Amino acid sequence: MKLFNSKTNKNEEFVPRHAGEVHMYVCGPTVYNEAHIGNARPIIVFDTLRRLFEAHGMNVVYASNFTDVDDKIIQKAIAENVDEKVITSRYIDAYNAVRDSLHTRPLTYAPKVTDTMDAIIAFIKALEDKGFAYNVDGNVYFRVNKVDNYGEISKQNVDDLLVGARIEEETEKESPLDFALWKKTQEGIQWDSPWGRGRPGWHTECVVMINDRFHEMIDIHGGGMDLKFPHHDNEVAQSKALLGHGIANTWMHNGMLNIDGEKMSKSLGNVMLAKDIIAKIGANATRWMLLMAHYRAPLNISEEAVVQAQTELAKVETVLKQTEIKAQLSGFSLEGPADQASMTAFFDAMDDDLNTPNGFMALFETMKPLNQALRSRTPDATIVASYYQAVRRQLDVFGIDFPVVELTQEDRDDYEAYNQAKAGKDFVKSDLIRAKLADKGKL
RNA sequence: GGUUCCUUAGCCAAGUGGUAAGGCAAUAGACUGCAACUCUGUGACCGUCGGUUCAAAUCCGACAGGAACCUCCA
């Protein structure tokens, strides 16, 4: 399998550090709001990657955090006059509900910052002891010029950053590039620390949560493109400073998502909540739509994109349903091995840096012979089953699932009556039965 | 201003040196009692202008347009 590594800007052969096992971490949300459709992209992309690894028989340890300490959370808690926990648990639940409704496989670990606080404080203290951090009146900053190759993930170099740095109003930092590890706070949730009461900076949380769970370098670190700088560069800088190694062999970043060609933002009033779109078009169509483009490319959401996803998905549903119905009426089994050529084409596409558009092509090129085999005068059950299995297995990697249609005795009787009415040219009756079968979703 | 990246048919979207995948929409036909479904056929001077090469959508340069980040938004 090849994956594009943001660290090297190259497609690289992916070799896990431990044979047969993939350790991956994806930056999770700050839980101060409902998940929007943009948040759904990394959820879907990395769940699909995980499914692909599992389809190859690998074991995946998948961690993704909840950032439940943040200014925005504190502000919201103050605005609603409640404890931060009320806010964070509300949106953690909402986020989990979105994950579940998108048919994602369960996370192995979903750590929270508040549950990792001791380790975070110890980590910052160790950075300070080694001279990588300094305390200014209760605020602790990371000394960026102490690490080599800062900016390796985003391909920024320190000189350019210094040139582009804005004049900062706060002058207590040694360098404008230094970032906060610990912030002195007067309001909101806070903890005791060697530097006084305060709360941790965002960049330390992820690196500690990763180290806390994996205790070594991991295989894949994922997240949105927008997190490359400064977040991921800062994670790497801290890890190198204290642990002497980077964080992940492979860094993967998903592209951003636009609505009708514009960035999604509150000021434009075009924020689409994930739960709303899932409720409207369903998990299958949502996943299909977000996987239509390659994960690194920008993706535009529009009414047309929704319609296209729904149309294409309907074709998949139709062929599955018709195959299942025909198999049951004809009394043959759909069990058996998947068509080998089709699966090879599919994995060739997907193993090439998760090329889902080409994966869909392989799926379409499997559906075509399935339709042909299904409609031949004397369907070959083995051939039908092999294409059917291929379609099902490919859909499973995409995380798209349709329940298997089970014909009841009444359904079988309806089919019998339908065919008889047609044979007797009683089209009024046959149309009625056909409509009934269609209503039941059994046509 | 700096960094990184993108620009392929009406639309979505693959393709990273060797005669431009796939899908949606459109259209013609086959199948059907009619329809739906399905199958078959029909579409691209690859943003513009230069350059390298026997050969470029693919490499290099310029220009135009767009995006992300540099302001703790995936």
Side-chain angles (χ1 to χ4, degrees):
Chain A
M1 181 184 304
K2 282 195 159 60
L3 291 175
F4 184 87
N5 188 352
S6 299
K7 190 162 70 178
T8 58
N9 266 359
K10 283 189 187 121
N11 267 314
E12 296 174 349
E13 186 63 33
F14 176 75
V15 181
R17 293 168 51 84
H18 304 279
E21 189 153 305
V22 180
H23 291 180
M24 56 191 277
Y25 179 91
V26 176
C27 282
T30 300
V31 280
Y32 69 102
N33 228 334
E34 299 275 356
H36 54 66
I37 187 64
N39 298 117
R41 194 171 190 192
I43 293 176
I44 292 171
V45 163
F46 291 106
D47 180 64
T48 303
L49 179 66
R50 181 250 187 95
R51 286 167 173 271
L52 179 62
F53 282 127
E54 290 179 343
H56 282 306
M58 303 175 89
N59 182 40
V60 177
V61 181
Y62 184 178
S64 189
N65 68 296
F66 287 110
T67 298
D68 60 349
V69 178
D70 182 87
D71 275 339
K72 288 192 280 277
I73 294 169
I74 294 168
Q75 293 312 317
K76 192 145 190 156
I78 291 169
E80 294 189 20
N81 195 27
V82 294
D83 195 80
E84 281 89 351
K85 263 252 179 324
V86 175
I87 304 294
T88 58
S89 64
R90 179 197 305 161
Y91 295 118
I92 286 172
D93 289 348
Y95 209 86
N96 281 330
V98 166
R99 275 187 188 285
D100 290 346
S101 67
L102 283 171
H103 301 161
T104 59
R105 290 186 180 160
L107 297 172
T108 316
Y109 303 119
K112 295 178 206 158
V113 173
T114 49
D115 293 339
T116 321
M117 197 53 63
D118 291 346
I120 290 172
I121 291 171
F123 191 93
I124 298 170
K125 185 74 177 70
L127 280 173
E128 186 186 25
D129 291 345
K130 286 187 80 171
F132 286 99
Y134 55 95
N135 173 13
V136 184
D137 190 27
N139 288 312
V140 181
Y141 297 99
F142 187 87
R143 216 169 245 135
V144 165
N145 67 12
K146 282 272 285 180
V147 294
D148 293 333
N149 211 13
Y150 178 74
E152 63 177 298
I153 301 297
S154 62
K155 308 288 177 286
Q156 309 274 337
N157 75 63
V158 172
D159 291 340
D160 288 335
L161 286 169
L162 285 170
V163 169
R166 308 199 173 177
I167 316 282
E168 299 233 6
E169 56 292 343
E170 85 187 302
T171 53
E172 64 182 28
K173 294 198 287 188
E174 293 176 2
S175 158
L177 300 186
D178 292 351
F179 54 90
L181 301 176
W182 188 263
K183 297 181 175 185
K184 181 172 64 177
T185 45
Q186 282 80 42
E187 62 177 9
I189 191 167
Q190 48 195 262
W191 287 262
D192 284 319
S193 80
W195 317 281
R197 290 183 69 75
R199 60 185 179 76
W202 179 40
H203 308 303
T204 306
E205 300 163 356
C206 280
V207 64
V208 173
M209 284 188 275
I210 292 168
N211 191 54
D212 210 39
R213 294 294 175 176
F214 294 102
H215 310 292
E216 60 174 358
M217 276 188 79
I218 59 174
D219 295 301
I220 295 171
H221 187 133
M225 293 273 190
D226 54 345
L227 295 182
K228 279 185 176 181
F229 187 88
H231 185 52
H232 289 162
D233 278 319
N234 288 353
E235 283 184 46
V236 171
Q238 293 171 83
S239 181
K240 282 179 157 177
L242 190 58
L243 306 171
H245 56 67
I247 293 178
N249 284 336
T250 304
W251 287 77
M252 295 179 69
H253 293 96
N254 62 273
M256 298 292 103
L257 187 150
N258 294 325
I259 306 288
D260 293 323
E262 289 186 304
K263 180 176 178 171
M264 184 164 40
S265 71
K266 277 181 196 159
S267 54
L268 287 170
N270 61 354
V271 174
M272 295 176 76
L273 295 185
K275 64 173 183 180
D276 291 341
I277 195 157
I278 296 165
K280 188 175 164 202
I281 71 174
N284 287 337
T286 305
R287 290 188 74 116
W288 187 288
M289 179 168 66
L290 294 204
L291 293 173
M292 275 196 311
H294 186 87
Y295 75 90
R296 284 191 283 116
L299 175 65
N300 190 41
I301 301 284
S302 63
E303 185 55 33
E304 281 179 320
V306 170
V307 169
Q308 184 174 337
Q310 288 177 309
T311 306
E312 293 177 356
L313 192 67
K315 289 172 185 288
V316 179
E317 184 176 18
T318 298
V319 70
L320 289 176
K321 194 189 281 186
Q322 293 185 341
T323 305
E324 287 152 5
I325 290 170
K326 184 136 194 172
Q328 287 170 66
L329 290 177
S330 309
F332 63 79
S333 165
L334 291 174
E335 298 300 311
D339 180 70
Q340 199 50 246
S342 171
M343 293 311 292
T344 300
F346 176 74
F347 283 125
D348 280 351
M350 297 294 278
D351 290 352
D352 181 18
D353 192 30
L354 199 66
N355 194 327
T356 52
N358 281 343
F360 281 123
M361 175 178 69
L363 177 66
F364 276 112
E365 297 197 338
T366 309
M367 279 162 48
K368 189 172 290 187
L370 174 54
N371 270 316
Q372 288 168 335
L374 194 63
R375 284 147 193 275
S376 86
R377 287 204 176 277
T378 51
D380 182 322
T382 310
I383 292 174
V384 169
S386 73
Y387 285 125
Y388 172 82
Q389 287 295 332
V391 170
R392 277 284 182 190
R393 286 179 204 191
Q394 289 168 23
L395 288 175
D396 190 52
V397 176
F398 288 127
I400 288 168
D401 187 41
F402 291 102
V404 175
V405 174
E406 301 277 3
L407 292 184
T408 62
Q409 189 54 49
E410 184 195 288
D411 298 331
R412 290 168 186 273
D413 293 345
D414 286 342
Y415 265 99
E416 179 70 24
Y418 171 60
N419 286 325
Q420 272 185 14
K422 249 192 341 180
K425 298 207 185 300
D426 185 350
F427 297 124
V428 175
K429 187 176 179 188
S430 71
D431 283 353
L432 275 173
I433 302 171
R434 183 168 71 185
K436 181 183 171 192
L437 282 164
D439 280 351
K440 292 193 289 187
K442 300 292 179 67
L443 190 64

